[in-house]
Amino acid sequence: HLHTNFWGLYNFLRDQGYFIEVLGEPYTCFDANQYGTLLIVDPEEEYFPDEIKKIKSDVENGLSLAIFADWYNEDVIRKIKFYDENTKQWWTPLTGGSNIPALNDLLEPFNISFGDIIFDGDFKIGDNFAHFASGSGIASFPEKGILIPFELYDQSAELIRSKVVKQAVPILGLYWPTDVVDSENENKTEGTLGRIAVFGDSSCLDNALDRRGDCFWLLKEVLQYTSQGLLSKNLDQERLEKQFVSSVLRPPSRMEGGHMEPYSKVIGKNATCGNLFFKHYNQSELKPIITWKPRTRTHLDAQSGHFVEKTYSLSHLAEKSFLPNHNVLLSYLFGCLTMGIIVFLFFKYQQSRSSHAYAKTPSV
C-alpha cells in the first residue's frame, strides 16, 4: 500500500507535484475523464470482465496506463510451499509476486502480455542503474511500440533446475495506440488516445525490500511519457516494425487448485462502489450508472417501548438533521467553560499556597 511499504513511492510522486488518489474499488467506480494516468503497481487480484472493458474504453478516450508488475511462475509457486507446524498444513502461495494471468487479461485488448519466466539482474538506462529483482519479461507487444531488452539471469532455471542461464529479455515497453477504432467506426488520432507503459518488476519501488537502488528515476520518465507524451532520449528507441511475440516466454496460466476464491474480492462477487451498488456501466458516457442503497436506522418507539427499524432515502437523510439540539450544545459549551474556570482557579490557589510557604521557610 502507498502508506506502508510503498510510502517512498508516494512521497516521491508528491514531491514531483503529482496529485494521487488511491482506488480501493473496482475500475468501474471512477471517472477516467478526471485523471491522466492509472498507475498499477504489484497487482495480485483478479479483474471483473466489466473492468477490462472499461479500461479499454478509457484508454481509447485518453486515459494512460503505467504498470509495474512482478514475477509469476507456477512451478516456482509450488516449489516454495512450506509446512506450517502450527496448523499442521502445507501452505502454498495463492499467486506469485503479481497475478500475471489476470494482468494479461487486462492488457489483452492492447496485445500486451508478460511471460512466465522469472528474471533477475542489474540494468542501466542512460546514467541510471537499478536492480531487476525477480520480475517478469514481456512476452508480446504491439507493432509500433518500443521494447527495451537487457541481459538478465533466468531465476526460474536456477530455482527449479539449479542451472545458471543469462539471456536478453525485454522488460520495459512503451506504446501509444494509433489503430483503435471507436464505436462509430472512425479511426481516432494519436492525440486523443492514452499511452501505455509496462515494466516487469515493482521491487525497486518497494521500501519493504532490501533494494540495490530504487527506480524512481524510471518512474519519473514513465509518467512524463504517459501523462505528457514526453519521451526522454534514454527511452526513445526504435519502434517495432511488427508485433513482437517472444520465442522463449509464454503467458502463464492460472494455477490449478490455488483456492483463491475465499480471499478474492472479485471471484464469485459483484462489483460494488463503496455504499453505491454497481448495476450497469454505460460505455458511451464513461461513468458507472448506480443506485443509492437505502439506509436503515434503529429507533426506540416511545409508545410500544420496542426497538424498530426505519428505512430512509438519502434525500430524507439530507433533510433530517442529526446535529445536537442547540440548547444541548449551549449547555455543553457552558459546562466546558465552567470547568475550565474551576481548573484555572485551582491552579492559581495552589500556586499562591506554595509561594506563601516558601516565604515562611526560615533561613539557615
Side-chain angles (χ1 to χ4, degrees), residues 153-290:
Y153 290 99
D154 183 344
Q155 202 171 43
S156 305
E158 183 179 355
L159 291 173
I160 298 173
R161 303 188 298 272
S162 300
K163 186 177 180 181
V164 178
V165 177
K166 192 174 185 180
Q167 59 181 301
V169 56
I171 59 174
L172 176 62
L174 306 170
Y175 177 52
W176 196 343
T178 59
D179 56 353
V180 180
V181 179
D182 67 4
S183 58
E184 298 180 358
N185 296 323
E186 295 180 358
N187 289 322
K188 296 201 169 193
T189 61
E190 189 176 79
T192 63
L193 301 172
R195 291 164 288 272
I196 302 174
V198 296
F199 185 67
D201 186 33
S202 61
S203 302
C204 53
L205 302 176
D206 193 338
N207 290 92
L209 301 177
D210 184 16
R211 302 173 302 180
R212 283 182 264 173
D214 60 59
C215 61
F216 293 150
W217 53 269
L218 176 59
L219 175 64
K220 180 180 179 179
E221 294 192 7
V222 164
L223 291 180
Q224 286 178 344
Y225 172 71
T226 58
S227 61
Q228 304 174 50
L230 301 178
L231 194 59
S232 68
K233 63 179 181 179
N234 296 327
L235 303 183
D236 190 5
Q237 301 191 19
E238 186 176 354
R239 271 70 172 172
L240 295 173
E241 296 182 356
K242 61 179 181 178
Q243 181 175 344
F244 168 78
V245 178
S246 175
S247 60
V248 178
L249 303 179
R250 296 288 182 271
S253 57
R254 288 173 174 80
M255 186 174 63
E256 295 182 1
H259 305 294
M260 192 174 181
E261 293 85 352
Y263 310 98
S264 173
K265 295 181 179 179
V266 174
I267 302 176
K269 309 295 193 307
N270 294 320
T272 56
C273 303
N275 61 348
L276 309 177
F277 182 72
F278 172 75
K279 292 187 65 177
H280 174 71
Y281 175 71
N282 187 341
Q283 293 187 11
S284 62
E285 297 182 3
L286 295 176
K287 61 182 180 181
I289 297 177
I290 51 183

